[in-house]
Amino acid sequence: MNIRTYNSLPANTRERYTQVTFDTTRDHSLFERTESTTSLSLGIKRLNPLDRRRTMQLFRAIVREAKKVQVRHIAVQMTELESIPGYGKDAEDRYRLFAENIHMAGYEFTALKTSPKKGSYNGIEEIALVGALSAKERKDFAAGETVAHEVNACRDLANMPGGDMTPTLLANEVRKRCKGTGITVRVLDKKAMEKLKMGAVLGVAKGAREAPKFIIAEYWGTSRAKVPVVLVGKGVTFDTGGLSLKPADYMLDMHLDMSGGSAVIHSLIAVARLKLKVNAVVLIPAVENSISGESYRPGDVLRSMSGKTIDILNTDAEGRVIMADALTYARRYKPVLTIDVATLTGASLVALGTKASAVLSTDNDLAQRLVRLGEVSGDHCWQLPLWEEYKEMVKGRFGDIANVPTKSGRYGGAIAGGMFLGEFAEGLTWAHIDMAPRMVSDDSDLLAPGAAGASVRLLVRLLEDQANT
Ligand code: BES
Ligand code: ZN
Ligand code: ZN
């Protein structure tokens, strides 16, 4: 799907486009066809008056409704948009939001579908945005296209089935995707990880035939004297739960358990394509959490790279275990900020539903900065606490730290995950984003089923913010 901008539609092409208009008095849409023209009147009563959030919904609704009536070319007049009450309110960068949300709504995961029959409906081909964009609006629009491209690439990567996206294949894919961007990629294999004593990653990986990989991607966009932001992404290419095996229903989407890894690498690519003057490093511990006679067991005690030992009480809490070594590795960079992104807990879904990622940090300002940028980007976040009173949740039995609480049962599971990670982030300015709630889209997102591409827009905004400080 392409978005093209025109000052006015070329005269001889006008009939090709379905003209989109808006009506704030009803919620259903109307499609009309005359002999030579088609028009689509979007019912947007529920979005009236617009604000920033609703503006994003509006743009997605345009695509969703146009898909429903199976049109291929649609035209949106800027004057029509401007006539909607509240248009542009809290959304000065609305043409960035336009590009981001139109492209996100246009995306479908088709990589594994046999190509459709000739003549069948194949989605929208072109959206014409008609009107004069100012220089700033053109710049915003272009940035939005770049970011959207990476959000959708992130979704494609995350959506690949576990059998087609093993740690090795993920590492190769990261290499391929970073080519030509100025990002350098290094991949540590099992041997290198043994040398570094990454006992936590290696422990989780034991049950899988597939060897683990530790992926390192660096973008140096400004003076090397400036310490980088480090982004750590969970890269569990499939999560069976290990010997603490998941029930079938819970295992269904677990090829998406590398969504954090997918988000951080595509954020980095977006940042490189935007040529931001910032330094950033991505770390992805990539493993399959599988079952076999070699699997790590409940009761095993793993020695992590930090030297701290981890009591494995549940092999399904594997994300925090591999992230522990990645956070330890992050220290090498003396990062100005360390952000980890992971589909870490089902408990974060219990806490927040499907509309926001959980953000947890020992640095309240950093957490609130992420919440604010969530609002700006559309990747909404909400803070959960990491008070020291929660510390007993991660007290080890025979090892130093337990990977699941020994006592408090199932209460506060997202916090327990954050407290665990905090043990490995001591001294770092660090925040943890539990993006499990946003791993897949829900109906009201107006996005295709599967990966929602969460956190890419958020992390790009953070790095833009960082480049300006
Ligand atoms: N990958 C899962 C968390 C998850 C669940 C992500 C649902 C997305 C949707 C994680 O590895 C896991 O299994 N966590 C356990 C932790 C528990 C054993 C303490 C969970 O949430 O049940
Ligand atoms: Zn798990
Ligand atoms: Zn997992």
Side-chain angles (χ1 to χ4, degrees):
M1 189 185 79
N2 288 311
I3 307 178
R4 293 186 62 182
T5 55
Y6 297 93
N7 284 328
S8 65
L9 282 182
N12 56 340
T13 66
R14 249 168 232 169
E15 283 164 14
R16 179 155 86 206
Y17 295 96
T18 298
Q19 296 288 336
V20 177
T21 57
F22 305 96
D23 190 321
T24 54
T25 66
R26 54 173 153 80
D27 264 328
H28 58 278
S29 294
L30 296 173
F31 182 55
E32 259 184 278
R33 194 186 292 273
T34 68
E35 227 167 273
S36 60
T37 66
T38 51
S39 62
L40 176 62
S41 166
L42 243 62
I44 55 163
K45 194 173 168 192
R46 67 189 178 284
L47 300 177
N48 183 32
L50 287 171
D51 57 15
R52 192 173 180 87
R53 283 179 175 238
R54 286 175 171 177
T55 300
M56 298 183 207
Q57 286 290 317
L58 171 77
F59 295 146
R60 293 178 183 193
I62 295 172
V63 176
R64 174 56 67 102
E65 294 301 310
K67 274 187 188 172
K68 268 193 203 153
V69 293
Q70 305 208 337
V71 292
R72 290 193 166 83
H73 304 268
I74 61 176
V76 182
Q77 308 282 341
M78 279 174 68
T79 50
E80 286 287 333
L81 290 168
E82 281 156 8
S83 71
I84 307 172
Y87 184 66
K89 185 172 175 285
D90 298 323
E92 236 235 280
D93 55 348
R94 56 198 173 276
Y95 291 101
R96 172 155 172 182
L97 301 183
F98 183 91
E100 285 177 354
N101 288 281
I102 293 268
H103 280 303
M104 285 176 73
Y107 170 89
E108 307 221 4
F109 180 51
T110 54
L112 303 172
K113 291 258 195 232
T114 313
S115 3
K117 284 201 190 72
K118 245 195 167 162
S120 64
Y121 183 67
N122 223 342
I124 300 168
E125 281 164 36
E126 188 196 326
I127 295 187
L129 175 61
V130 188
L133 291 170
S134 69
K136 183 200 177 279
E137 287 170 342
R138 257 202 307 278
K139 216 175 142 213
D140 285 347
F141 176 79
E145 289 225 293
T146 302
V147 175
H149 186 268
E150 297 314 319
V151 172
N152 287 346
C154 163
R155 293 161 83 188
D156 257 341
L157 183 59
N159 276 329
M160 284 310 274
D164 297 306
M165 195 49 68
T166 61
T168 304
L169 293 170
L170 178 62
N172 292 343
E173 199 60 38
V174 167
R175 273 206 192 94
K176 203 169 99 193
R177 287 167 186 238
C178 290
K179 269 222 176 92
T181 62
I183 297 169
T184 54
V185 179
R186 259 181 320 133
V187 176
L188 307 184
D189 62 8
K190 194 172 159 208
K191 249 205 193 123
M193 292 164 71
E194 281 164 356
K195 240 191 189 152
L196 289 170
K197 300 191 160 54
M198 288 185 165
V201 188
L202 290 163
V204 174
K206 268 175 67 186
R209 181 194 290 260
E210 295 288 335
K213 300 283 173 192
F214 192 87
I215 304 166
I216 304 161
E218 299 179 356
Y219 168 71
W220 301 96
T222 185
S223 157
R224 291 242 179 188
K226 273 201 169 171
V227 290
V229 173
V230 174
L231 306 173
V232 184
K234 174 172 170 180
V236 173
T237 59
F238 193 81
D239 183 8
T240 65
L243 292 177
S244 314
L245 191 64
K246 284 182 185 293
D249 290 355
Y250 288 78
M251 211 188 287
L252 197 58
D253 276 337
M254 284 302 133
H255 60 290
L256 292 157
D257 211 17
M258 33 62 81
S259 295
S262 183
V264 292
I265 195 62
H266 280 289
S267 305
L268 193 71
I269 297 174
V271 163
R273 293 202 190 286
L274 293 169
K275 299 195 166 40
L276 295 189
K277 290 192 172 36
V278 67
N279 294 331
V281 173
V282 153
L283 304 175
I284 308 172
V287 302
E288 191 179 332
N289 187 21
S290 198
I291 43 170
S292 74
E294 318 277 336
S295 291
Y296 79 137
R297 310 156 189 82
D300 279 358
V301 178
L302 304 179
R303 184 172 295 277
S304 69
M305 185 182 176
S306 71
K308 292 185 183 177
T309 56
I310 304 173
D311 246 332
I312 300 300
L313 303 180
N314 188 318
T315 62
D316 196 12
E318 83 298 339
R320 64 198 73 182
V321 177
I322 64 168
M323 299 293 272
D325 278 348
L327 286 169
T328 302
Y329 192 89
R331 289 175 180 283
R332 298 187 160 206
Y333 292 94
K334 303 199 176 3
V336 53
L337 286 179
T338 306
I339 313 287
D340 81 72
V341 185
T343 48
L344 207 79
T345 67
S348 61
L349 277 140
V350 175
L352 293 173
T354 56
K355 289 297 171 195
S357 294
V359 50
L360 301 95
S361 179
T362 39
D363 182 324
N364 196 52
D365 291 341
L366 177 57
Q368 283 306 309
R369 185 176 171 200
L370 287 165
V371 170
R372 183 178 60 77
L373 292 173
E375 214 57 50
V376 171
S377 63
D379 277 329
H380 301 120
C381 301
W382 206 250
Q383 190 183 358
L384 297 176
L386 281 189
W387 299 316
E388 64 182 21
E389 288 89 332
Y390 288 112
K391 210 158 171 144
E392 64 168 322
M393 291 181 117
V394 293
K395 238 185 224 142
R397 271 191 326 169
F398 305 119
D400 300 324
I401 304 158
N403 82 327
V404 299
T406 39
K407 277 195 217 98
S408 56
R410 52 200 184 82
Y411 298 149
I415 295 171
M419 290 302 292
F420 179 95
L421 293 175
E423 291 287 332
F424 299 89
E426 273 170 4
L428 296 174
T429 304
W430 156 82
H432 159 57
I433 299 172
D434 189 339
M435 61 161 288
R438 299 294 309 142
M439 182 175 81
V440 296
S441 62
D442 74 7
D443 287 345
S444 72
D445 288 330
L446 310 182
L447 297 176
S455 299
V456 175
R457 287 174 298 160
L458 170 69
L459 294 173
V460 171
R461 296 276 186 173
L462 176 70
L463 288 164
E464 286 176 327
D465 207 34
Q466 199 63 27
N468 294 326
T469 56

